[in-house]
Amino acid sequence: MAGVDRRIPIQTLLATAEPGNPVTVTGWVKTSRFSKNVSFLHLYDGSGPKTVQVVLSKETGLEMQSELGQGTSVKVVGAWVESRGGKQAVEIKADTVEVVGAGNPTEYPIQKKRTSFEFLRTIAHLRPRTNTFQSVFRVRNALAWQIHSYFQERGFLWIHTPIITASDAEGAGEMFRVQVGDDKEGFFGKEAFLTVSGQLAVENFAQAFTDVYTFGPTFRAENSNTARHAAEFWMIEPEIAFGDLDDVMALAEDFIRVVATKTIEQCRDDFDFFDLRIEKDVSKNVLAAVEKPFARITHDEAQDLLVASGRKFEHKVGRGEALQTEHERYLAEEHFKGPVFVTDYPREQKAFYMRVNDDERTVAATDLLVPRIGEILGGSQREERPDVLDEQLKRFDLPEAPYWWYRDLRRFGTTPHGGFGLGFERMLMWLTGMQNIRDVIPFPRAPGQADF
């Protein structure tokens, strides 16, 4: 064990240290309780969801009571001893308590009566100190780790795709323009934007390394204030050469199953919190959902199921209509009661780069729908035929010039290829039961919100 002068993370202390050893911990006061004979602090340091109890002597408690309010940062040196209380097996009997950063409990904004998620979004710089957001961001870290581990263990190459781009991957036009000075075309010689997807760029590397992925921030200038949309979010986008839509779905299903399971295993204590405080048995339900094979239906079949349900939906249903969130959730939550791939979307409903099927009405695309969220990822086989790609650009009224390099890939050793894009924050919402995308991003960016 580390010497007394070296701090030990609280999670490590609770898991490994033997009673009787000297310890040093640092952290913040979660709660404090003072009495005439003995006083107590409960400290956290972010290493895990549990606090450690610190017992203060009568003298220390009386002397420091006014200094040890909620939110104060401290350094404690003492002995790790068996507890006399019933709520914990071991505790720290403090020899010294040093206030590292003073707090003011009367002004500290995190109080039990004011800790709604809506209020906490107004103090994003402090909300990581609450139980919920401690767990959210530990799981976010673990999920990112498991995503990288999944691809690295399977030989995928991580490609850093550009954040500034001249092309619109989705063709929707909802992009933030990058402007330097007064001349919109001055710095780069043409208009430039924040990327909406790394997919087009990572395709370059799939045609050289076969299996690749990109994982980074993306941006949408969509004036939406829903619980599922943000102006800045993160995407995971693998791309595989020499593969078709079936290969893409097989990769997506295995990826979701493995990453979800391992993330829950890695953060079991945090998921116990989500199960109890956020959504009852959320981790159990996710694990049950990924344990069985995912269902697969076509877009036409999905619409037929919606019509046959007899349900009154807000948006129209029927062949040729677009699937809305309410439809997606019905299919995943009520009909299939688990994840379902919907394939072969109408051509006009999907992006220009998706491979046109032989019926020329649909494209080789898929969305994966999961309970509570609806669409969690979207993928497709890409259009590798140069003439059909050019036809698609014209069909979507997109200029050829910004896509010259993308078209060029089809001229030199092209292959069937495909991939998917997974919304990182949507997967976090699914795993944890959190209801709003702004509550799973450290610093949410939305219309009217560009700072804390």
Side-chain angles (χ1 to χ4, degrees), residues 51 54 130 166-167 174 177 188 200 209 325 408:
T51 61
V54 178
T130 64
S167 57
E174 296 169 337
R177 183 160 61 86
F188 294 105
L200 299 191
F209 292 95
T325 301
D408 214 34

Side-chain angles (χ1 to χ4, degrees), residues 35-187:
S35 65
K36 292 181 179 180
N37 296 320
V38 66
S39 299
F40 301 92
L41 304 178
H42 283 91
L43 304 183
Y44 70 96
D45 65 359
S47 59
K50 296 178 181 178
T51 61
V52 65
Q53 179 166 285
V54 178
V55 182
L56 309 180
S57 67
K58 174 182 178 180
E59 294 74 21
T60 302
L62 291 174
E63 179 183 346
M64 302 189 68
Q65 179 174 355
S66 63
E67 301 178 68
L68 297 175
Q70 185 182 5
T72 300
S73 60
V74 297
K75 177 181 179 181
V76 175
V77 178
W80 188 230
V81 299
E82 292 184 358
S83 176
R84 295 181 180 179
K87 293 186 177 180
Q88 61 286 316
V90 282
E91 61 193 10
I92 298 173
K93 184 178 180 181
D95 294 324
T96 64
V97 178
E98 175 189 345
V99 173
V100 177
N104 187 335
T106 61
E107 296 181 3
Y108 192 56
I110 300 176
Q111 304 291 338
K112 286 185 178 180
K113 63 183 179 181
R114 299 182 63 196
T115 51
S116 69
F117 292 153
E118 291 79 6
F119 170 72
L120 290 173
R121 287 177 209 136
T122 69
I123 52 169
H125 60 302
L126 293 176
R127 70 177 183 168
R129 302 186 186 191
T130 64
N131 293 337
T132 298
F133 290 98
Q134 287 262 303
S135 287
V136 163
F137 296 124
R138 276 191 296 267
V139 170
R140 186 182 175 103
N141 169 75
L143 179 58
W145 174 263
Q146 293 297 344
I147 286 167
H148 281 299
S149 296
Y150 178 90
F151 288 120
Q152 293 297 318
E153 290 169 2
R154 289 159 179 77
F156 280 69
L157 197 70
W158 182 20
I159 305 301
H160 299 94
T161 52
I163 290 176
I164 298 175
T165 180
S167 57
D168 181 355
E170 299 299 322
E174 296 169 337
M175 304 178 74
F176 290 104
R177 183 160 61 86
V178 177
Q179 182 172 345
V180 181
D182 295 330
D183 183 0
K184 68 180 181 181
E185 299 181 1
F187 190 87

